[in-house]
Amino acid sequence: MLIVLYMKNRLREYRARQNLTQDDLAKKVHVTRQTIIAIENEKYNPSLELAFKLSKTFGCKIEGLFEE
């Protein structure tokens, strides 16, 4: 039996601080809006590469965006 744990995140909060729509953020990090929605709703864990892109976009550490 496979159990998948999704990380809690503060992506929506960081995005709101910078007045970015889900579509704006998706374009900045080169993913679809659906990917951003899935991450915000904790239905998808981003790849390490995407996590780095998101943290760079918001000027914070990955640990600031995501937690176990």
Side-chain angles (χ1 to χ4, degrees), residues 17-40:
R17 284 184 198 169
Q18 293 194 9
N19 294 317
L20 292 172
T21 65
Q22 291 168 332
D23 194 50
D24 293 336
L25 179 57
K27 287 176 182 171
K28 281 181 174 270
V29 295
H30 307 288
V31 297
T32 64
R33 185 176 62 87
Q34 288 78 13
T35 299
I36 300 300
I37 291 168
I39 295 169
E40 286 186 352

Side-chain angles (χ1 to χ4, degrees), residues 6-10 42 45 62-68:
Y6 296 102
M7 292 185 287
K8 293 191 179 293
N9 69 77
R10 298 172 60 200
E42 298 173 0
N45 288 331
I62 290 176
E63 296 87 351
L65 279 175
F66 301 97
E67 57 188 65
E68 290 185 56

Side-chain angles (χ1 to χ4, degrees), residues 38-56:
I39 295 169
E40 286 186 352
N41 291 327
E42 298 173 0
K43 305 262 185 220
Y44 175 76
N45 288 331
S47 66
L48 190 55
E49 179 183 1
L50 179 52
F52 274 108
K53 285 181 182 179
L54 290 166
S55 68
K56 185 175 181 179

